[in-house]
Amino acid sequence: MNAQAAQAKGHNLDLAIVLGGPLVDKVAALTGVPPGTDDFEVLGNFYGHPAKLVKCETIDLLVPTNADIVLECMLMATEGLTHDEGPSGEFTGMYGPLHVLRHRLCRERRGIPAVQLRLAASGMSGDI
């Protein structure tokens, strides 16, 4: 929705991808809330106090201070949907044509970040 609004205005969209951090952050991110709800207010409700945030270095966005890795990017909304992920799909229906992301900065909170990943591929599946 945000990408479509930016594209309609002829603008690209600043975007921060947050990896790692406490499990409660992921639970808060998956909470179904009405459009227009402040996601960081929801996160703060899980913590019982306002979420601690820090400003990104290259874009005007806030991210949780406890993120292990933050990728600061620009979503190229003015270029339209340009890349198709292929003949795959998943239950959320989010796969399909994609916008291009231009990477600006990768910031690590610690020397060696610990990010939990789940891999699934033909012949293998497991946590890293």
Side-chain angles (χ1 to χ4, degrees), residues 14 55-61 71-73 103-105:
D14 288 336
K55 186 182 177 303
C56 290
E57 294 180 35
T58 65
I59 56 179
D60 190 26
L61 292 175
L71 303 174
E72 297 181 18
C73 307
H103 177 260
R104 290 183 171 172
L105 178 80

Side-chain angles (χ1 to χ4, degrees), residues 11 35 37 41 61 75 78 88 108-109 116 121 124:
H11 296 110
T37 303
E41 186 175 324
L61 292 175
L75 186 141
T78 57
S88 57
E108 296 179 12
R109 181 173 64 96
Q116 181 181 11
M124 69 171 267

Side-chain angles (χ1 to χ4, degrees), residues 31-53:
T31 302
V33 294
T37 303
D38 184 336
D39 294 328
F40 293 126
E41 186 175 324
V42 172
L43 179 59
N45 287 332
F46 275 85
Y47 279 114
H49 56 76
K52 295 177 183 172
L53 307 173

Side-chain angles (χ1 to χ4, degrees), residues 24 26 75 79 121 125:
V24 69
K26 289 126 189 96
L75 186 141
E79 295 180 14
S125 181

Side-chain angles (χ1 to χ4, degrees), residues 56-97:
C56 290
E57 294 180 35
T58 65
I59 56 179
D60 190 26
L61 292 175
L62 298 172
V63 294
T65 57
N66 57 10
D68 288 328
I69 298 173
V70 176
L71 303 174
E72 297 181 18
C73 307
M74 177 177 284
L75 186 141
M76 307 305 292
T78 57
E79 295 180 14
L81 299 172
T82 59
H83 288 41
D84 193 355
E85 274 193 294
S88 57
E90 47 114 12
F91 72 95
T92 63
M94 297 303 289
Y95 284 170

